[in-house]
Amino acid sequence: MPEPVPEAKPAEDAPPADGGSEADDDAEKNATGQENQSTSLSGLFVEKPPESVVAVAGSDVTFVAKVDSSALTRKPTMKWLKGKWLDLGSKAGKHMQFKETYDRNTKIYTYEMKIIKVVVGDAGGYRCEVTVKDKCDSSTFEITVEAAHQEDQADILSAFKRADAGEDDGDLDFSALLKAAKKKKKPQKEEPEIDVWELLKSAHPSEYEKIAFQYGITDLRGMLKRLKKMKEVQKHSEAFLKRLESCYSVEKGKKIVMSCEVLDPNVQVKWLKNGQEIKPSAKYVMEAIGNVRTLTINKANLSDDAAYECVVGDDKCATEVYVKEPPITITKLMDDYHVVVGERVEFEIEVSEEGAHVMWYFEDQEIIKDKDSSKYRFKKDGKKHTLIIQEATLDDAGMYHAWTNGGHTKGELEVEEKELEVLQDIADLTVRATDQAMFKCEVSDDKVTGKWFKDGVEVLPSERIKMTHIGRFHRLIIDNVKPEDAGDYTFVPDGYALSLSAKLNFLEIKIDYVPRQDPPKIHLDTTGNMVSQNTIIVVAGNKLRLDVEITGEPAPTVVWSKGDEPITATEGRVKVESRKDLSCFVIEGAERGDEGNYSICVTNPAGEDKAVLFIKIVDVPDPPENVKCTGVGEDCATIVWEPPKFDGGAPIKGYLMERKKKGSSRWTKLNFDVYESTTYEAKRMIEGVLYEMRVFAVNSIGLSQPSLNSKPFMPIAPTSEPTRLMVHDVTDSTCTLRWLAPEKIGAGGLDGYVIEYCKEGDTEWVAANTDLCEKQGYVVRGLPVGEKINFRVVAVNIAGRSPPATLSQPVTIREVVEYPKIRLPRELRTKYIRKVGEKINLTIPFQGKPHPVASWFKDGQPVDPKMVNVRTTNVDSILFIRSAEREHSGKYELVLKIENMEDRASIDIRIIEKPGPPLNVRVTDVWGFNAALEWEPPKDDGNCEITGYTIQKADMKTKEWFTVYEHNRRTNCTVSDLIMGNEYMFRVYSENLCGLSEEPRFSKNTAVIAKTGLEQKQTSYKEKDMACAPKFTQPLVDRSVVAGYSTAISCSVRGFPKPKIVWMKNRMIIGEDPKFLMQNNQGVLTLNIRKPGTFDAGKYSCMAVNDLGQDEVECKLDVRVATDPDKK
């Protein structure tokens, strides 16, 4: 139990406590304005909260307490309590906030308790208690809550409005959480005001719920508690000596014991919970011990948080039990999200226990389930809790928090505008009559819909015109093309300011007269596909269909070739199709290997024609390579990578980056606009968390596959500089430095320190240690004598070197001569006494520079190393004796020398043991009932002063020894109260600090106490007649027993002389039957029947007989057969 600190005198000019915040002037005036006088200070407190504070409902109030820790060895612990036991630390939340700060200069801890929007239920007595090791101090104060000034007359029901239904930080007086909802009165009909308290007072309890519903009371229990207090009139209890405490507090899962004392120790009590009687069980244990009545609740849970009553007749006493939940920790933290508008977001966490209460916040606003159900959804799955945003908007961007009563985590949501990327544009087409025309485009979002237009007019589907949307591809197909289908076609995605256009050219077939001998001619038209002369670009995976018109008479022969290899296949992925006057070259699903020079050669008897084409296959690029982290900071990291080996045939436009926490499967986008450089600095990261990165390459075709994940890296920062660097010692070639750890270490930890030095005036620093120094001290060796040297220390961790801690001025390397000085401990300045056989270990610290030489002497002679062990270091000398003997006693002297200077210290050591017995013990005189003894001190006093003697006597008849005197300091004594006619002998023990001597010394002669002429006159004694006839004081009692179970019948009898006992069954004497055991213990008679059967039933009687008469009692024994319940 901490020792209370005695109250100090009041301070004259102590500053008044802060009773509120600057944001609320009314609360300031009410909380502190009335307490202008200085608060009295006592014990550990430097400043206390004011004793009485008046606050306005709805305002904020702050209480401040300050503790001076300059004289304390450890950090003090502060508790804020309401009432007698309720710890407000478990109620921390939106309504109550606690803050702790520390000033390193003044060494003062400042503790603040802030109550947000004070309600009536906050009124009452409070206490702040500070404890540190074996000291404690406390200060009490009281809060009075007044209604707001702008209300003419405060309705008492306003105290019952729930201030924050989402907070689980109730107060001791839960009635403050209730309020009657005020209904708007119709102006045309004014109803008289109704006092709900009067209604409740006069109403029957069955009407309470109806009245509460009618007048908007949301917490009936708190209302009834308040009503009960209004009805109660304190009166003297006739049934209770000690009532229950006003309230009890218990942690969830723990045991709580409630007890009270009643006037009548035999009275029966009832225990009620919320008005319902409690039945005894393993959970609820009720005990009655004398006047004390106890109710024990085992393994309390939240359902046990209720009102309890102990009822004795018409009297009762009540209490409240508050069950505190243990702190719920968060085992899986929240991830960050980077999404676009309309995407679904799921913030998921895991907590330590199922069924825990989790509060979600967006920035500083709580997300309430009923209020925000249209935007947010809450999901619970065991220990997993999820906050779901169905469709994210720009307004949803920000920081989201999850709070439990024992943990907090946060995650950031970044929402970007939705951008649509065109992966494949539609191309111009040239088709002939009756052929099919197909426009195709690809966009980045497979959910985007759109419309097709021709010359600004929307195209509607028909039997000939079809529009399809499969995934990211949108197609417009026109069968049996007609001349009127020619025109400009446009695809417009819904919801985006974007359009894709292409032209449909109708190829008319003109029939002209030609001579029969017409050389072949290739009419190559690649409108829409040609990017340069004779070059066609095809996106990998797409289909290339090249229709080439051929003319010539007679019909020419067409040969397609890739390089020197002709292409003759008419089926497969790469094929050639021939029609009249038309040759079609088709590649299904273009691949990178299809890229190259292609030629078409047509021949007939009139000549030949040839055309060469270069088909270029473009694709998304390969993923970037060698993604790695080259540097980290406190919340950032630098990532570099190499461009992809293959750019897909199109220039790389830039890169997209994603990151995730290690162990998570959810990637967060870091940029939506392409990033052109191959070095990126990722920011807004959490220090101490492992991350992984990956990079995508982007060209005009699309997005590459992701790169391999980078090695995990952790954003960490170097520590701050070491503190309190100082010089501990200097010699001619060394300098000893000492310092303290950095104030800020961070998640990277601390690997060690590097000590550097340089001569005064130089700028080149030299490292004194090759390996990191893990201790907070180091000896720099090999320094030049007489030089002035600057020193600095740098802390090192995985993030690098910290800023250096440098000495304010250079150090001169020269040993300072210091006079030798022995620091003799206080207990060795007097005589040092030890018992024989004990261990002696004396440590004598000293100082001096250079290192002094220490020598030990005993009685002027150097100590014998065989008897005494001596070990000397640079700072102390140790004298050690493993087992002390009397010859070790003497005067020891330590001599400390430095050149011609010296210091001496003497220690007087005395080794003691038990003394020998005293000498010449004798009886010198005997008179009356007294004897006089004398003796001489012992020859061996055990090397210690004799502190006394113990004298014992013994009667020569019994030879039993009895102590007469202890600690007798004289060498003589007088033994009194001896018995006449007896002869006595005596013995004496010596005593010193070690105890009594091993052997006593017996007296040489004895003391005889002679008889005198006294006679004893015998008084006459008449013996009382105790004879009486037998009489049974306790009769036999009828019994019914189960067959097979041993039983016993008993009675009690008195009589003198001792009566003879006879047991009978059905008037037949029971003999030596082993089935029956008859016992008589001081008149209590017992007949034990071993495993009776049905034939043992009958009338049993007991008869007691002596010379003066007899008496008899009888009973009936019924034996019934046991029934098996399983056979029913």
Side-chain angles (χ1 to χ4, degrees), residues 882-918:
R882 187 175 302 277
S883 179
E885 300 294 341
R886 290 192 46 182
E887 55 265 24
H888 290 134
S889 300
K891 185 175 182 180
Y892 290 79
E893 186 176 26
L894 173 63
V895 180
L896 203 64
K897 287 187 178 182
I898 299 178
E899 297 178 356
N900 59 347
M901 299 178 291
E902 71 174 27
D903 191 17
R904 294 173 178 266
S906 297
I907 304 172
D908 190 1
I909 298 178
R910 178 176 293 184
I911 309 301
I912 63 175
E913 62 181 348
K914 292 181 179 181

Side-chain angles (χ1 to χ4, degrees), residues 168-182:
D168 189 17
D169 53 354
D171 302 305
L172 184 61
D173 186 2
F174 287 95
S175 59
L177 298 177
L178 296 174
K179 168 179 175 179
K182 296 181 179 179

Side-chain angles (χ1 to χ4, degrees), residues 82 115 118-126 142-146 173 176:
K82 182 175 181 183
I115 304 178
V118 177
V119 296
V120 176
D122 294 325
Y126 290 77
E142 188 168 345
I143 301 178
T144 304
V145 180
E146 292 184 350
D173 186 2

Side-chain angles (χ1 to χ4, degrees), residues 636-921:
C636 59
T638 302
I639 308 300
V640 299
W641 61 89
E642 297 177 4
K645 289 184 178 180
F646 177 63
D647 61 2
I652 299 295
K653 291 185 177 181
Y655 303 91
L656 297 177
M657 283 70 69
E658 290 184 348
R659 77 174 180 217
K660 74 177 182 70
K661 297 175 183 177
K662 185 179 179 181
S664 174
S665 59
R666 188 177 301 279
W667 290 90
T668 301
K669 293 183 180 179
L670 300 182
N671 63 316
F672 283 88
D673 297 330
V674 293
Y675 185 78
E676 296 181 357
S677 175
T678 57
T679 302
Y680 182 77
E681 184 177 2
K683 298 181 178 180
R684 305 183 73 175
M685 307 173 84
I686 302 174
E687 184 180 7
V689 176
L690 286 172
Y691 289 89
E692 295 177 347
M693 292 279 294
R694 67 182 184 184
V695 184
F696 298 81
V698 181
N699 63 4
S700 58
I701 305 305
L703 196 67
S704 73
Q705 292 295 316
S707 66
L708 296 177
N709 296 353
S710 67
K711 292 184 179 180
F713 61 90
M714 180 187 298
I716 50 177
T719 68
S720 60
E721 68 276 3
T723 58
R724 297 189 183 182
L725 177 62
M726 59 180 292
V727 177
H728 183 261
D729 190 17
V730 179
T731 67
D732 288 341
S733 61
T734 65
C735 179
T736 303
L737 303 177
R738 296 283 187 271
W739 62 88
L740 296 180
E743 291 185 356
K744 180 181 178 183
I745 294 180
L750 178 61
D751 295 337
Y753 302 91
V754 174
I755 298 87
E756 299 176 336
Y757 65 91
C758 74
K759 295 183 180 179
E760 185 180 22
D762 289 352
T763 58
E764 182 178 355
W765 290 88
V766 179
N769 55 323
T770 54
D771 298 328
L772 292 179
C773 174
E774 297 182 358
K775 299 181 179 179
Q776 295 175 0
Y778 189 78
V779 180
V780 183
R781 305 181 185 277
L783 299 175
V785 180
E787 290 286 349
K788 291 186 176 181
I789 305 294
N790 289 312
F791 293 94
R792 70 181 185 184
V793 179
V794 178
V796 179
N797 68 0
I798 191 173
R801 294 162 55 99
S802 72
T806 308
L807 289 175
S808 58
Q809 57 187 5
V811 179
T812 302
I813 307 302
R814 181 177 291 109
E815 188 165 28
V816 179
V817 177
E818 184 178 347
Y819 193 86
K821 181 67 176 178
I822 299 175
R823 303 292 185 184
L824 189 64
R826 185 180 300 274
E827 65 270 14
L828 299 180
R829 296 176 187 176
T830 58
K831 189 175 294 184
Y832 187 75
I833 300 175
R834 283 292 181 269
K835 297 178 182 179
V836 171
E838 289 186 345
K839 181 175 65 176
I840 296 177
N841 191 352
L842 304 180
T843 301
I844 315 299
F846 55 76
Q847 62 186 37
K849 290 185 180 181
H851 298 313
V853 177
S855 303
W856 283 90
F857 297 88
K858 178 189 176 186
D859 299 329
Q861 299 296 325
V863 296
D864 185 359
K866 296 181 180 179
M867 297 179 60
V868 179
N869 296 319
V870 175
R871 185 180 65 83
T872 303
T873 67
N874 294 334
V875 294
D876 59 20
S877 183
I878 299 175
L879 179 71
F880 178 73
I881 301 175
R882 187 175 302 277
S883 179
E885 300 294 341
R886 290 192 46 182
E887 55 265 24
H888 290 134
S889 300
K891 185 175 182 180
Y892 290 79
E893 186 176 26
L894 173 63
V895 180
L896 203 64
K897 287 187 178 182
I898 299 178
E899 297 178 356
N900 59 347
M901 299 178 291
E902 71 174 27
D903 191 17
R904 294 173 178 266
S906 297
I907 304 172
D908 190 1
I909 298 178
R910 178 176 293 184
I911 309 301
I912 63 175
E913 62 181 348
K914 292 181 179 181
L919 303 175
N920 195 18
V921 179

Side-chain angles (χ1 to χ4, degrees), residues 92-111:
K94 200 171 183 181
H95 184 56
M96 283 192 176
Q97 297 177 0
F98 302 91
K99 183 179 179 183
E100 174 186 335
T101 57
Y102 176 64
D103 190 339
R104 292 184 176 273
N105 297 324
T106 62
K107 295 185 178 180
I108 290 179
Y109 284 90
T110 302
Y111 302 92

Side-chain angles (χ1 to χ4, degrees), residues 479-493:
D479 294 328
N480 192 17
V481 176
K482 299 179 181 179
E484 57 269 20
D485 293 329
D488 292 329
Y489 287 81
T490 304
F491 175 73
V492 179

